[in-house]
Amino acid sequence: MKRNAIQSETSKHDLVDFSVCRGIEANCRFSLINEPKLFQNIKQVVLSSKFIKQLRKTDATTSQAHRRLRIGIAGCPNACSLPQIKTLGLIVRRKPSRFLPGCSGCGTCSTSCKETAIKIHENNVSWDPQRCVGCGLCLNTCSSELIEASELSVELLVGGRMGRHPRFAQLVADIPIEAVSSVMEQLLNSPMLPNNVHDWSYEKIQEAFDGIKYKRDNE
């Protein structure tokens, strides 16, 4: 992976700042996806949205950096692009769906888990989904291929910011990765979405999120 783990890009109108981990475009061993097209689709949806068109009508917003829509996209829970402090944060995750019988007790999967979510006792595997962060490191460690993976999903975080009154973004939804572009499009075109990013509280975004359908990109 390139030394700089984050690729930042500001739109030509200075209304949107994208921070994307390079693992999505490069061969990072932690990244759960290598899909530059995903970022390009999201970027296109954002820049053509009703929310951005509305911002463009107000000249003052172009010169005030604190009013920008800041988006962080992370290809794994390591989150090098800092989605937790962005207006909109997207984190790709993949968890085990189940552990098949036949464990040899080698302990490779347990050793690979940095969250101690997997424990082995007398060839029986116990997995704690509450401790699991969905990094996917355990999924390819089993030599007997007894770990089945869930589908890739994306956590949508909203309302993070730094500055005078910093706060962490809050989780709004866990979205199938194929539906991310559609969900972002519906959210940013919702009439319930506040015009000022500083008003993007969890409660306000949840109101705008109600009624959004998870339409997959290939549907």
Side-chain angles (χ1 to χ4, degrees):
M1 188 176 71
K2 296 181 181 179
R3 187 174 180 180
N4 181 7
I6 305 172
Q7 175 183 350
S8 293
E9 178 182 336
T10 303
S11 76
K12 63 181 180 180
H13 297 285
D14 294 330
L15 297 175
V16 189
D17 180 78
F18 295 95
S19 296
V20 185
C21 72
R22 291 189 181 275
I24 292 178
E25 297 184 338
N27 188 22
C28 173
R29 67 189 182 94
F30 296 113
S31 182
L32 293 166
I33 57 170
N34 293 296
E35 291 287 343
K37 186 179 178 181
L38 173 66
F39 166 60
Q40 295 300 329
N41 288 345
I42 293 173
K43 178 182 174 182
Q44 182 178 357
V45 164
V46 172
L47 294 180
S48 61
S49 68
K50 177 182 176 182
F51 177 78
I52 294 301
K53 290 177 180 177
Q54 202 160 5
L55 281 186
R56 285 178 181 154
K57 295 178 181 179
T58 308
D59 294 336
T61 59
T62 60
S63 60
Q64 298 180 25
H66 67 281
R67 292 184 180 273
R68 288 178 186 160
L69 173 59
R70 301 182 186 277
I71 299 176
I73 304 174
C76 78
N78 287 337
C80 297
S81 54
L82 308 179
Q84 297 91 341
I85 56 172
K86 306 297 184 184
T87 322
L88 282 175
L90 301 171
I91 304 177
V92 180
R93 300 184 188 271
R94 171 170 270 172
K95 295 186 176 185
S97 59
R98 65 171 177 161
F99 292 79
L100 300 175
C103 175
S104 66
C106 71
T108 306
C109 60
S110 178
T111 302
S112 71
C113 181
K114 301 179 184 298
E115 309 299 325
T116 64
I118 302 174
K119 294 182 180 180
I120 298 177
H121 179 67
E122 296 181 353
N123 294 0
N124 291 315
V125 182
S126 63
W127 171 62
D128 186 349
Q130 300 303 317
R131 296 187 68 89
C132 178
V133 298
C135 69
L137 291 178
C138 67
L139 297 176
N140 298 317
T141 60
C142 182
S143 59
S144 301
E145 299 182 351
L146 299 177
I147 306 176
E148 292 189 349
S150 62
E151 291 187 2
L152 282 170
S153 64
V154 177
E155 284 189 352
L156 173 63
L157 308 175
V158 173
R161 69 185 186 201
M162 296 299 289
R164 189 165 182 165
H165 300 286
R167 69 185 180 201
F168 279 117
Q170 291 182 278
L171 176 64
V172 173
D174 194 18
I175 307 165
I177 196 165
E178 295 89 351
V180 171
S181 297
S182 172
V183 169
M184 290 283 285
E185 182 177 13
Q186 293 176 71
L187 177 62
L188 292 172
N189 287 288
S190 170
M192 301 294 292
L193 192 68
N195 294 330
N196 191 327
V197 294
H198 281 267
D199 295 329
W200 283 27
S201 66
Y202 172 81
E203 292 76 18
K204 292 289 186 182
I205 298 303
Q206 196 65 60
E207 288 180 17
F209 204 81
D210 288 344
I212 287 180
K213 298 180 179 179
Y214 290 3
K215 181 180 178 182
R216 297 175 185 265
D217 292 343
N218 58 1
E219 291 182 352

